């Protein structure tokens, strides 16, 4: 595991108290949250393992510490790729946080893992919320995310003023892990709807009705979904494919959802077939590509 950096003060800044929300993990989502906070006139502490991402955050006016131990804020937003990354960050972050600090983890993870993280953080005198989000980088930058919260209500109350800066819909789903359950159910449906939309629009096109004629019908009738109302017009039909969410990340979320179904004994049929399509088409749509390309590939004739 690469070093997460020493405990240190911020470059050129004397930290005398925890008065800001910090962001750890500066990928597409994390950087968008930093951009949002900067737009509100804040200079959030921001950190990432990648020096280039730290430099990019510093260029926006964010304050970059020498290491995670230099973060001592009442609320810390995490946006990380997997459970191993979260575990490593917590190890370096927790010793420097004040008692009662709240870590709101926007990463998409397994419910079991976040329950373990919550217990670990509680033992250190802080609180951990699983707080996965919907809305993508555009929503983060605009402050319009939907956030699904699992964890203690009191911790959410303490963090809410800062969470309100990046999200317009904050839903307390239940105890620790509940936010992740909601996110995995949501993304399993998104993944399935993209498969279904590509296949159904392919049927229409081969029968002589193009997507530009079909989409207004679907979106004005009961066949609509976010895949037809948002993804197809904005990123697929336009050819931009710049949602900021990769096919690899969607595959990770789908695998987590399938694993959850197996763990709790929930049979999957239609959604399992859609999940299989995401795996089978990894050659046609590699992990690095925008996740909307899978629906486009199906429309163009790809089959699982």
């Amino acid at each position: 595991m690469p070093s997460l950096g020493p405990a240190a003060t911020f470059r050129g800044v004397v930290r005398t108290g925890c008065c800001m929300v910090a962001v750890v993990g500066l990928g597409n989502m994390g950087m968008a949250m930093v951009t949002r906070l900067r737009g509100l006139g804040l200079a959030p502490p921001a950190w990432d393992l990648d020096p280039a991402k730290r430099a990019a955050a510093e260029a926006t006016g964010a304050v970059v510490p020498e290491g995670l131990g230099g973060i001592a804020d009442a609320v810390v937003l995490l946006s990380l790729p997997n459970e191993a990354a979260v575990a490593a960050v917590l190890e370096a972050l927790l010793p420097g946080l004040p008692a009662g600090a709240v870590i709101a983890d926007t990463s998409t993870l397994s419910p079991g893992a976040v329950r373990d993280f919550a217990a670990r953080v509680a033992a250190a005198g802080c609180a951990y919320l699983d707080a996965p989000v919907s809305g993508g980088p555009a929503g983060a930058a605009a402050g319009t995310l939907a956030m699904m919260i699992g964890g203690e209500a009191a911790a959410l109350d303490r963090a809410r003023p800062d969470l309100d800066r990046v999200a317009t819909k904050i839903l307390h789903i239940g105890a620790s892990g509940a936010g992740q359950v909601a996110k995995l159910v949501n993304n399993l449906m998104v993944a399935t709807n993209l498969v279904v939309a590509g296949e159904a629009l392919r049927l229409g096109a081969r029968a002589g009705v193009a997507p530009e004629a079909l989409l207004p019908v679907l979106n004005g009738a009961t066949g609509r979904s976010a895949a037809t109302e948002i993804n197809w017009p904005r990123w697929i039909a336009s050819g931009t494919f710049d949602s900021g969410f990769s096919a690899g990340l969607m595959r990770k979320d789908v695998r987590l959802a399938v694993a959850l179904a197996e763990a709790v004994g929930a049979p999957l049929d239609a959604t399992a077939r859609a999940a299989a399509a995401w795996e089978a088409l990894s050659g046609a749509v590699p992990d690095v590509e925008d996740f909307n390309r899978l629906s486009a590939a199906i429309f163009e004739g790809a089959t699982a």
Side-chain angles (χ1 to χ4, degrees):
M1 176 70 63
S3 171
L4 295 178
T9 58
F10 293 86
R11 297 188 188 109
V13 177
V14 177
R15 298 283 288 165
T16 58
C18 43
C19 56
M20 301 183 192
V21 55
V23 180
V24 176
L26 301 175
N28 290 335
M29 287 297 295
M31 188 62 80
M33 287 189 278
V34 169
T35 299
R36 167 65 178 173
L37 295 170
R38 287 294 297 125
L40 295 175
L42 302 175
W47 201 87
D48 193 279
L49 197 63
D50 185 343
K53 291 179 179 178
R54 296 199 299 270
E58 193 168 41
T60 71
V63 182
V64 177
E66 296 292 345
L68 282 170
I71 292 178
D73 294 83
V75 176
V76 181
L77 295 170
L78 304 187
S79 181
L80 299 165
N82 52 49
E83 291 158 17
V86 173
V89 163
L90 291 179
E91 182 176 358
L93 182 66
L94 284 173
L97 293 183
V102 179
I103 297 171
D105 191 351
T106 69
S107 318
T108 302
L109 310 167
S110 73
V114 303
R115 293 184 187 112
D116 290 342
F117 292 147
R120 178 177 172 185
V121 172
C126 300
Y128 175 98
L129 299 173
D130 49 293
V133 296
S134 180
T144 58
L145 292 173
M147 190 170 282
M148 300 153 244
I149 305 289
E152 294 181 357
L156 174 56
D157 289 343
R158 296 199 302 275
R160 188 180 288 273
D162 288 309
L163 300 183
D164 281 339
R165 302 179 195 275
V166 297
T168 53
K169 185 177 290 186
I170 297 174
L171 303 171
H172 188 203
I173 309 301
S176 181
Q180 295 295 349
V181 172
K183 176 63 184 287
L184 295 180
V185 169
N186 180 80
N187 275 20
L188 182 61
M189 292 187 69
V190 172
T192 300
N193 287 337
L194 281 168
V195 170
V196 170
E199 192 172 281
L201 290 170
R202 181 176 68 193
L203 167 63
R206 291 190 180 181
V209 182
E212 53 265 33
L214 272 176
L215 285 169
V217 176
L218 297 175
N219 293 333
T222 54
R224 66 186 181 275
S225 69
T228 61
E229 288 188 302
I230 300 172
N231 299 62
W232 261 86
R234 184 170 180 178
W235 294 303
I236 300 173
S238 68
T240 58
F241 296 103
D242 60 354
S243 72
F245 190 69
S246 71
L249 287 175
M250 179 56 89
R251 287 189 178 103
K252 181 205 77 171
D253 292 357
V254 169
R255 290 173 193 140
L256 287 171
V258 171
L260 177 62
E262 293 173 353
V264 300
L268 301 180
D269 187 5
T271 52
R273 291 173 64 87
W278 280 87
E279 298 294 346
L281 296 177
S282 60
V285 184
D287 284 353
V288 296
E289 296 287 349
D290 187 275
F291 81 119
N292 291 291
R293 286 195 180 275
L294 186 125
S295 193
I298 291 173
F299 173 76
E300 291 165 2
T303 56

